[in-house]
Amino acid sequence: MDATPAIRVVDLRKSFGTLEVLKGVSFDVDRGSVVSMIGASGSGKSTLLRCINFLETPSGGEVYIDGEPMGFRTDATGQRRLQPLSEINRMRRDLGMVFQQFNLWPHMTVLGNVIEAPMRVRGMNRKRAAALGEECLARVHLSEKAREYPARLSGGQQQRVAIARALAMQPKAMLFDEPTSSLDPELTDEVLAVMRELAGDGTTMIVVTHEMGFARDASDRVLFLHNGLIEEEGPPEQVFGAPRSERCRQFLSKHLQ
Amino acid sequence: MSNWERLVWNQRGVLLQGLAVTVEVCLIAFAVAIVGGLTLCLIRMHVRPLRPVAIVLIEFFRATPIFVQLMWVTYVWPELFGWPNSFFTAGWLALGLQSSGYLAETFRAGIEGIARGHREAGYALGMPPLLVFRRIVMPQTLLTVAPSIVNQFTVIVKSSTLISVITVQDLMFQAMKLVNVWYEPIEILTVTAALYILFVFLVSTAGKLLADRLRRRYGLAAA
């Protein structure tokens, strides 16, 4: 089996003005594995995720998707050059992103949201895109809502549609940015259930989350971020069972109560 | 024969001809206002080197009285640019430009009101900025600002009466012509006012119904 990781992040840095949010983060995500990122607010989790698909342009470091460098190329003189947007867009198609606020487009039906990018970015015809869209909606158990508008759905349903929309691009990996943080507790479970199913199907996933239960049960590896650095990483049994870092221990003791 | 019959019914051809000119001028001015407003708004928001120019134009169009602008376009533009070469053109142009200043700001408010996340969701799927603008930003903006756009059209209709001053033969012009022939303003001007009310009422009602229906459908307004 090809051992190239689905996502490789090398010494990633990001500053906003003088504020250094990411101070050099490196990790690999193997194909078919689930990596959860935990940490306090402001630790850099979301910024890290947004740097992976270049919604934020990293200040330094590299991201590789399936071995291919994302966003930057090093030219003959060894200079790092930002790639044109078209090239970044081509690689973004391979990374499905799910946002905290769902970000469904209110003027399109559920199916319209799901098939928009397959049709207009991948160039699929409507019939094929619709078939694919129905399939993706079935995976998130919302086939019956295909013709509804997002405003008529609950938050949990909206987030599942957002997951279907990302899946419809048939990405190599899915990025989840606190997907349940703006949901009521009773709606969180239906979203987490869908995410567990995806994980079970072998979807490569990076999940930024405050759901410690999900991080512990559903991920292969857990990263604990603190102040823009990975403070602790390992399999969930280790990070949750016997964390080496004192800060991680404190964070977990607060969040596992 | 009553005054109504003599002054209004028997002159209906002239009045309706005037009304047709009014409708025509207003529709062209409205199209100019939408295209001009959107262009000014996009330049202001996205074309940094031209931004000051757009701001100056928007403020100029908004801050000058429509009558002054009408005179300016009619008498100054031909001297400066050799165009417009008819009063009719000058009429719709002045009306359109003034409204474009207002609509530019309306569009800007609408575009800025679209959640950044809606655009980011598009970018994250690999959609290029123009596609995101066309498919995600613009439809939502139009839905949000639809009531203001309809309102601006009614402003154009009402301001359009001023073009009679530069001898464009609109409804107001024809009405005043009849008044000056018969020296009996009551019936003629009352009917003229009624025709304007009817026009504005029809446009705003149709626009409001359409906008409300769309907004309700997409859950953008309380049902």
Side-chain angles (χ1 to χ4, degrees), chain A residues 26-38:
Chain A
S26 304
F27 63 95
D28 286 355
V29 182
D30 292 330
R31 276 187 213 156
S33 76
V34 177
V35 170
S36 289
M37 279 198 264
I38 60 173

PDB file of all heavy atoms in Angstrom, chain A residues 26-38:
ATOM      1  N   SER A  26       3.665  20.328  12.926  1.00  0.00           N
ATOM      2  CA  SER A  26       3.906  19.255  11.958  1.00  0.00           C
ATOM      3  C   SER A  26       3.142  18.012  12.367  1.00  0.00           C
ATOM      4  O   SER A  26       3.156  17.635  13.549  1.00  0.00           O
ATOM      5  CB  SER A  26       5.395  18.904  11.893  1.00  0.00           C
ATOM      6  OG  SER A  26       6.156  20.054  11.591  1.00  0.00           O
ATOM      7  N   PHE A  27       2.474  17.400  11.428  1.00  0.00           N
ATOM      8  CA  PHE A  27       1.848  16.091  11.678  1.00  0.00           C
ATOM      9  C   PHE A  27       1.425  15.474  10.357  1.00  0.00           C
ATOM     10  O   PHE A  27       1.317  16.166   9.341  1.00  0.00           O
ATOM     11  CB  PHE A  27       0.661  16.201  12.633  1.00  0.00           C
ATOM     12  CG  PHE A  27      -0.486  17.045  12.106  1.00  0.00           C
ATOM     13  CD1 PHE A  27      -1.570  16.452  11.455  1.00  0.00           C
ATOM     14  CD2 PHE A  27      -0.478  18.424  12.273  1.00  0.00           C
ATOM     15  CE1 PHE A  27      -2.621  17.223  10.976  1.00  0.00           C
ATOM     16  CE2 PHE A  27      -1.528  19.199  11.791  1.00  0.00           C
ATOM     17  CZ  PHE A  27      -2.601  18.605  11.142  1.00  0.00           C
ATOM     18  N   ASP A  28       1.187  14.164  10.365  1.00  0.00           N
ATOM     19  CA  ASP A  28       0.684  13.462   9.185  1.00  0.00           C
ATOM     20  C   ASP A  28      -0.705  12.922   9.485  1.00  0.00           C
ATOM     21  O   ASP A  28      -1.014  12.587  10.634  1.00  0.00           O
ATOM     22  CB  ASP A  28       1.574  12.242   8.867  1.00  0.00           C
ATOM     23  CG  ASP A  28       2.899  12.683   8.252  1.00  0.00           C
ATOM     24  OD1 ASP A  28       3.064  13.897   8.003  1.00  0.00           O
ATOM     25  OD2 ASP A  28       3.749  11.802   8.057  1.00  0.00           O
ATOM     26  N   VAL A  29      -1.509  12.846   8.444  1.00  0.00           N
ATOM     27  CA  VAL A  29      -2.787  12.150   8.567  1.00  0.00           C
ATOM     28  C   VAL A  29      -2.776  11.024   7.544  1.00  0.00           C
ATOM     29  O   VAL A  29      -2.737  11.269   6.341  1.00  0.00           O
ATOM     30  CB  VAL A  29      -3.973  13.098   8.289  1.00  0.00           C
ATOM     31  CG1 VAL A  29      -5.290  12.359   8.462  1.00  0.00           C
ATOM     32  CG2 VAL A  29      -3.908  14.313   9.197  1.00  0.00           C
ATOM     33  N   ASP A  30      -2.765   9.785   8.041  1.00  0.00           N
ATOM     34  CA  ASP A  30      -2.733   8.646   7.114  1.00  0.00           C
ATOM     35  C   ASP A  30      -4.074   8.488   6.431  1.00  0.00           C
ATOM     36  O   ASP A  30      -5.106   8.903   6.960  1.00  0.00           O
ATOM     37  CB  ASP A  30      -2.402   7.363   7.890  1.00  0.00           C
ATOM     38  CG  ASP A  30      -0.974   7.408   8.402  1.00  0.00           C
ATOM     39  OD1 ASP A  30      -0.133   8.053   7.742  1.00  0.00           O
ATOM     40  OD2 ASP A  30      -0.719   6.818   9.473  1.00  0.00           O
ATOM     41  N   ARG A  31      -4.029   7.863   5.266  1.00  0.00           N
ATOM     42  CA  ARG A  31      -5.284   7.630   4.548  1.00  0.00           C
ATOM     43  C   ARG A  31      -6.229   6.790   5.382  1.00  0.00           C
ATOM     44  O   ARG A  31      -5.822   5.799   5.988  1.00  0.00           O
ATOM     45  CB  ARG A  31      -4.995   6.890   3.250  1.00  0.00           C
ATOM     46  CG  ARG A  31      -4.609   7.894   2.222  1.00  0.00           C
ATOM     47  CD  ARG A  31      -4.464   7.285   0.871  1.00  0.00           C
ATOM     48  NE  ARG A  31      -3.408   8.056   0.230  1.00  0.00           N
ATOM     49  CZ  ARG A  31      -2.669   7.637  -0.735  1.00  0.00           C
ATOM     50  NH1 ARG A  31      -2.818   6.444  -1.210  1.00  0.00           N
ATOM     51  NH2 ARG A  31      -1.745   8.420  -1.241  1.00  0.00           N
ATOM     52  N   GLY A  32      -7.464   7.206   5.401  1.00  0.00           N
ATOM     53  CA  GLY A  32      -8.494   6.445   6.099  1.00  0.00           C
ATOM     54  C   GLY A  32      -8.465   6.642   7.600  1.00  0.00           C
ATOM     55  O   GLY A  32      -9.220   5.992   8.323  1.00  0.00           O
ATOM     56  N   SER A  33      -7.617   7.525   8.083  1.00  0.00           N
ATOM     57  CA  SER A  33      -7.572   7.693   9.533  1.00  0.00           C
ATOM     58  C   SER A  33      -8.262   8.982   9.955  1.00  0.00           C
ATOM     59  O   SER A  33      -8.500   9.870   9.150  1.00  0.00           O
ATOM     60  CB  SER A  33      -6.127   7.687  10.028  1.00  0.00           C
ATOM     61  OG  SER A  33      -5.510   8.918   9.724  1.00  0.00           O
ATOM     62  N   VAL A  34      -8.610   9.011  11.233  1.00  0.00           N
ATOM     63  CA  VAL A  34      -9.301  10.169  11.789  1.00  0.00           C
ATOM     64  C   VAL A  34      -8.397  10.811  12.833  1.00  0.00           C
ATOM     65  O   VAL A  34      -7.950  10.143  13.762  1.00  0.00           O
ATOM     66  CB  VAL A  34     -10.633   9.758  12.445  1.00  0.00           C
ATOM     67  CG1 VAL A  34     -11.308  10.955  13.089  1.00  0.00           C
ATOM     68  CG2 VAL A  34     -11.556   9.106  11.419  1.00  0.00           C
ATOM     69  N   VAL A  35      -8.115  12.104  12.636  1.00  0.00           N
ATOM     70  CA  VAL A  35      -7.304  12.834  13.613  1.00  0.00           C
ATOM     71  C   VAL A  35      -8.182  13.900  14.252  1.00  0.00           C
ATOM     72  O   VAL A  35      -8.798  14.699  13.552  1.00  0.00           O
ATOM     73  CB  VAL A  35      -6.087  13.486  12.930  1.00  0.00           C
ATOM     74  CG1 VAL A  35      -5.385  14.438  13.890  1.00  0.00           C
ATOM     75  CG2 VAL A  35      -5.124  12.423  12.424  1.00  0.00           C
ATOM     76  N   SER A  36      -8.279  13.874  15.563  1.00  0.00           N
ATOM     77  CA  SER A  36      -9.034  14.915  16.256  1.00  0.00           C
ATOM     78  C   SER A  36      -8.066  15.937  16.832  1.00  0.00           C
ATOM     79  O   SER A  36      -6.997  15.578  17.333  1.00  0.00           O
ATOM     80  CB  SER A  36      -9.857  14.318  17.403  1.00  0.00           C
ATOM     81  OG  SER A  36     -10.917  13.566  16.881  1.00  0.00           O
ATOM     82  N   MET A  37      -8.457  17.203  16.717  1.00  0.00           N
ATOM     83  CA  MET A  37      -7.645  18.268  17.304  1.00  0.00           C
ATOM     84  C   MET A  37      -8.416  18.887  18.442  1.00  0.00           C
ATOM     85  O   MET A  37      -9.543  19.346  18.243  1.00  0.00           O
ATOM     86  CB  MET A  37      -7.327  19.330  16.261  1.00  0.00           C
ATOM     87  CG  MET A  37      -6.186  18.942  15.375  1.00  0.00           C
ATOM     88  SD  MET A  37      -5.547  20.389  14.568  1.00  0.00           S
ATOM     89  CE  MET A  37      -6.409  20.282  13.044  1.00  0.00           C
ATOM     90  N   ILE A  38      -7.841  18.858  19.617  1.00  0.00           N
ATOM     91  CA  ILE A  38      -8.490  19.464  20.774  1.00  0.00           C
ATOM     92  C   ILE A  38      -7.583  20.556  21.340  1.00  0.00           C
ATOM     93  O   ILE A  38      -6.402  20.655  20.968  1.00  0.00           O
ATOM     94  CB  ILE A  38      -8.821  18.401  21.864  1.00  0.00           C
ATOM     95  CG1 ILE A  38      -7.536  17.718  22.336  1.00  0.00           C
ATOM     96  CG2 ILE A  38      -9.812  17.376  21.326  1.00  0.00           C
ATOM     97  CD1 ILE A  38      -7.752  16.778  23.518  1.00  0.00           C
TER      98      ILE A  38
END
